[in-house]
Amino acid sequence: MKKILFSDIDGTIAKGNLPITYKDQEAVKKLRTQDHYFSFCTGRNIQETKLVTPHFEYDYLVLNNGAMIVDQNDQVLYRKQIKNEIAKEILKESYQKYPYLNYTFFDGQQTYGYINQKTCILTENGYQEIAGDFLEILDHTQDDIDIVCAFHPQEKLDEILEIQKQIHQKYVGIHATLNVVYLDITVDCTKGSGLKKLCSLLDQEVISYCIGDSYNDLDMLKVAGLSVAAGNAIDDIKAVCDYTTQANHNEGVVAELIEKFILE
């Protein structure tokens, strides 16, 4: 039976936007040579994901914590977005209450940010300051929004957890997922629902393997055929997994999983 490996990006196969290790790249090539699938499963949007995968071979991307799925040719297989007016309301209310936090949103084409109280756009070199007002750019956005993110510049959690609480109390069908220090806000999807959706779109039965490190990985790890925690994962993740790697992020965690459990 075919196998499919779902890997988180940040804190698992990569550290920030550093290149993915040669060891992990070669292991994934071997996996795909044996006619199995590899998919990233990440809270990142597609623009953010491309920063760490420019030369990486994969079959699928599960993005926005399960709200979007594309194939290796960027063909959209599944997509759910936040209604434009709801995304604007969430961002404006959060900004008015906590103007010192950092915020981003992705409209399907471009990631805009309010980073360290400066209006920015995401480029291949990271966030770059631009002229204009973040909220005015938001106001002029007509399309629905794929994902909204909020995080404290000093990585504190009190305000982030309060925003998460308010969203879950006020909105039906909106999910605010804590990803270490980031709050990812999407429609009511998770990495677990994204995993199941992609498996249902394939034309054959597959055995799923997953690896992750943090809270937003929990749902996919619980539904995987085999769940693996990166060596640097938080204790809550290690507790639900079948195995914990000896390696830490960006040190070959995916290669360790592939060599131990998948390759024949």
Side-chain angles (χ1 to χ4, degrees):
M1 185 180 292
K2 270 206 174 188
K3 301 171 183 177
I4 181 167
L5 171 56
F6 293 87
S7 175
D8 170 50
I9 294 181
D10 297 285
T12 301
I13 198 172
K15 186 175 182 180
N17 290 325
L18 293 175
I20 295 170
T21 66
Y22 177 79
K23 186 175 183 179
D24 280 334
Q25 292 191 48
E26 288 302 301
V28 171
K29 285 181 182 179
K30 289 180 182 177
L31 176 145
R32 299 179 74 241
T33 298
Q34 292 192 7
D35 207 27
H36 300 306
Y37 296 126
F38 178 83
S39 175
F40 287 108
C41 194
T42 178
R44 291 185 180 220
N45 64 53
I46 192 167
Q47 184 186 15
E48 294 168 326
T49 299
K50 294 291 186 176
L51 294 178
V52 295
T53 62
H55 308 296
F56 196 95
E57 297 179 6
Y58 58 82
D59 297 289
Y60 302 99
L61 299 176
V62 178
L63 304 158
N64 308 332
N65 284 326
M68 184 175 181
I69 301 172
V70 301
D71 65 16
Q72 58 189 315
N73 299 313
D74 294 340
Q75 178 73 34
V76 177
L77 307 179
Y78 175 78
R79 188 181 189 186
K80 293 180 71 176
Q81 296 174 285
I82 309 173
K83 293 295 183 184
N84 182 278
E85 61 273 16
I86 294 176
K88 287 178 177 177
E89 185 176 271
I90 290 172
L91 269 169
K92 288 179 180 179
E93 288 183 357
S94 299
Y95 175 86
Q96 288 169 1
K97 192 168 185 179
Y98 306 112
Y100 48 86
L101 296 184
N102 293 337
Y103 301 96
T104 66
F105 72 90
F106 180 64
D107 64 1
Q109 300 295 324
Q110 178 64 55
T111 306
Y112 296 92
Y114 181 72
I115 310 295
N116 297 323
Q117 301 184 25
K118 296 177 181 178
T119 302
C120 304
I121 58 170
L122 183 63
T123 72
E124 61 182 12
N125 297 314
Y127 280 101
Q128 302 291 321
E129 185 178 0
I130 61 170
D133 180 80
F134 177 72
L135 291 183
E136 287 183 4
I137 292 173
L138 177 66
D139 274 334
H140 285 94
T141 301
Q142 300 299 316
D143 296 328
D144 290 339
I145 303 299
D146 286 86
I147 186 168
V148 171
C149 183
F151 55 101
H152 197 292
Q154 297 177 356
E155 299 189 349
K156 298 178 181 179
L157 283 178
D158 289 347
E159 296 94 331
I160 298 303
L161 293 174
E162 184 60 30
I163 293 173
Q164 182 185 43
K165 178 182 175 181
Q166 292 171 356
I167 288 172
H168 289 161
Q169 288 177 340
K170 183 173 182 179
Y171 298 98
V172 175
I174 301 295
H175 198 74
T177 306
L178 185 64
N179 179 10
V180 189
V181 297
Y182 299 89
L183 189 66
D184 296 331
I185 304 161
T186 63
V187 291
D188 196 12
C189 294
T190 67
K191 288 188 179 184
S193 67
L195 179 156
K196 290 192 287 187
K197 183 64 178 179
L198 176 53
C199 289
S200 74
L201 293 172
L202 301 175
D203 59 1
Q204 58 193 297
E205 287 190 36
V206 292
I207 302 173
S208 60
Y209 298 74
C210 288
I211 184 165
D213 74 300
S214 191
Y215 296 109
N216 67 331
D217 300 317
L218 193 59
D219 284 337
M220 76 167 179
L221 293 166
K222 285 182 175 179
V223 300
L226 181 86
S227 58
V228 175
N232 54 280
I234 60 174
D235 289 341
D236 287 348
I237 293 299
K238 292 179 179 179
V240 303
C241 286
D242 300 306
Y243 176 78
T244 298
T245 64
Q246 298 297 311
N248 290 326
H249 56 176
N250 205 232
E251 294 178 353
V253 296
V254 168
E256 184 176 336
L257 184 164
I258 291 171
E259 291 163 5
K260 187 174 183 67
F261 296 107
I262 300 179
L263 292 183
E264 299 174 357

